[in-house]
Amino acid sequence: MRVAIVGCGYVGLELGRQLTARGHEVWGVRRSDEGITAIEEAGFRSVRADLTDLEALSRVPDADALVFAASSGGRGATAAREVYVEGLRTTIEHFAERADPPDRLVYTSSTGVYGDHGGDWVDERTEIDPTTEKTRVLREAEEIALDSLITGTVVRFAGLYGPDRYRLERYLEGPVTEGYLNMLHRDDAAGVVRYLLEEDLVRGETVLAVDDEPVGKWGFADWLADQCDLPEPPKETKEERLADAELSEPARRRILTSKRCSNETLRELGYEFSYPTFREGYREAVKAYPSR
């Protein structure tokens, strides 16, 4: 396949590495010098382009598959709309009008669109209820992808972790607020997209990408402390955390949002995880921890 990865960041770089290793032609699209260097160091071809600029996107070669994996960089809803809605719409418009348009589009979304389900299980059939402006933007982008002139697939990632994103100190030092963690290692996030492309699966549909075991934050923090030979970190209830007068409204909504994400559909599709749970996924991080 010829694959263009637009917004080739944390997951996109690993996806490019996996696809290249399996003989596919890959182009990573970024707009910054740092981004272009990262793509080249990952071992595949780079194209400098702003995804909101039609003229710049013309520099991207024709592709069989288009992966939109851009990030708004943790900024607010306005930046998210510029990237996920306007950027996605511009990208689709440009590639769909080519003489040789892509056969399919994969848009990487987030399980944040589910909103709060009181700790219950959610899957692809669960009604979504985004509770923040940013997650509402993500839902709007999903609709654009699925209603696209290019056959779209939406992959909803759970919380991503992996190299450079283990954030051990957050859980080892605490205080840790109660709630569930739904996680996915970076290599599996990329692996899921690669698998769906290679096996030609989930066209015109949505799939939830999460590992086998949602875990309580307190339990995860205690496990991590034990693995690192440290005392269990301090903990706080949701009520205690919410009592903080300086807590931002988006943070308050995140604390009140609780769910457990199921990967039953992904398993039924035949995907095999490299890191089926956090235990395998954090092994290298634990080995490298300073106390070791």
Side-chain angles (χ1 to χ4, degrees):
M1 286 181 294
R2 301 168 299 167
V3 182
I5 306 172
V6 179
C8 190
Y10 190 59
V11 173
L13 289 168
E14 176 60 23
L15 174 60
R17 283 188 284 263
Q18 292 186 21
L19 289 169
T20 299
R22 297 167 72 92
H24 303 290
E25 293 183 77
V26 185
W27 294 271
V29 182
R30 295 280 289 274
R31 65 180 180 179
S32 68
D33 292 340
E34 181 182 8
I36 294 299
T37 298
I39 292 168
E40 293 171 350
E41 290 178 347
F44 54 101
R45 284 168 284 189
S46 65
V47 180
R48 187 188 303 276
D50 187 321
L51 52 84
T52 61
D53 186 339
L54 282 170
E55 183 177 349
L57 287 171
S58 66
R59 294 196 289 269
V60 183
D62 289 341
D64 303 306
L66 181 64
V67 178
F68 192 93
S71 168
S72 63
R75 294 174 292 168
T78 300
R81 174 167 293 280
E82 180 181 359
V83 173
Y84 299 122
V85 173
E86 303 306 329
L88 178 60
R89 186 179 284 125
T90 300
T91 300
I92 292 171
E93 176 185 339
H94 171 79
F95 279 92
E97 291 178 352
R98 289 190 174 192
D100 183 16
D103 179 56
R104 67 178 303 185
L105 160 75
V106 175
Y107 167 67
T108 60
S109 185
S110 165
T111 57
V113 299
Y114 284 104
D116 179 35
H117 287 270
D120 287 343
W121 286 92
V122 302
D123 61 19
E124 293 80 2
R125 296 172 295 277
T126 303
E127 183 177 353
I128 64 172
D129 182 23
T131 56
T132 68
E133 183 59 32
K134 188 169 183 177
T135 53
R136 285 190 284 271
V137 167
L138 291 173
R139 177 53 182 162
E140 184 178 347
E142 288 187 354
E143 293 170 348
I144 291 170
L146 292 174
D147 194 34
S148 167
L149 293 172
I150 305 170
T151 302
T153 296
V154 170
V155 182
R156 289 177 183 154
F157 288 151
L160 298 175
Y161 73 98
D164 300 319
R165 289 197 186 181
Y166 288 109
R167 304 183 179 97
L168 268 66
E169 288 75 14
R170 172 190 296 179
Y171 296 100
L172 293 174
E173 297 175 3
V176 180
T177 306
E178 66 180 326
Y180 283 110
L181 287 170
N182 297 278
M183 294 190 281
L184 182 67
H185 192 283
R186 177 206 63 185
D187 293 5
D188 280 313
V192 167
V193 176
R194 173 193 52 75
Y195 182 76
L196 297 180
L197 290 174
E198 290 186 328
E199 300 299 319
D200 196 19
L201 298 170
V202 197
R203 282 178 172 264
E205 298 178 8
T206 298
V207 67
L208 201 164
V210 62
D211 70 18
D212 288 346
E213 189 177 336
V215 61
K217 293 179 184 179
W218 288 359
F220 172 69
D222 287 348
W223 174 85
L224 200 58
D226 178 68
Q227 296 298 302
C228 292
D229 297 327
L230 294 172
E232 295 179 356
K235 303 174 181 68
E236 60 185 3
T237 65
K238 290 186 178 183
E239 289 74 17
E240 289 170 331
R241 183 72 178 108
L242 291 169
D244 182 354
E246 296 183 0
L247 191 66
S248 69
E249 187 58 33
R252 185 176 301 275
R253 290 192 185 124
R254 284 194 297 271
I255 292 167
L256 291 170
T257 298
S258 180
K259 60 186 177 293
R260 284 175 288 171
C261 298
S262 168
N263 67 8
E264 182 177 354
T265 297
L266 192 57
R267 282 294 195 182
E268 289 176 350
L269 290 169
Y271 180 72
E272 296 292 334
F273 284 83
S274 298
Y275 303 97
T277 76
F278 62 89
R279 297 177 188 83
E280 297 83 9
Y282 273 83
R283 185 177 297 125
E284 292 304 316
V286 167
K287 287 181 181 179
Y289 190 71
S291 66
R292 295 293 185 177

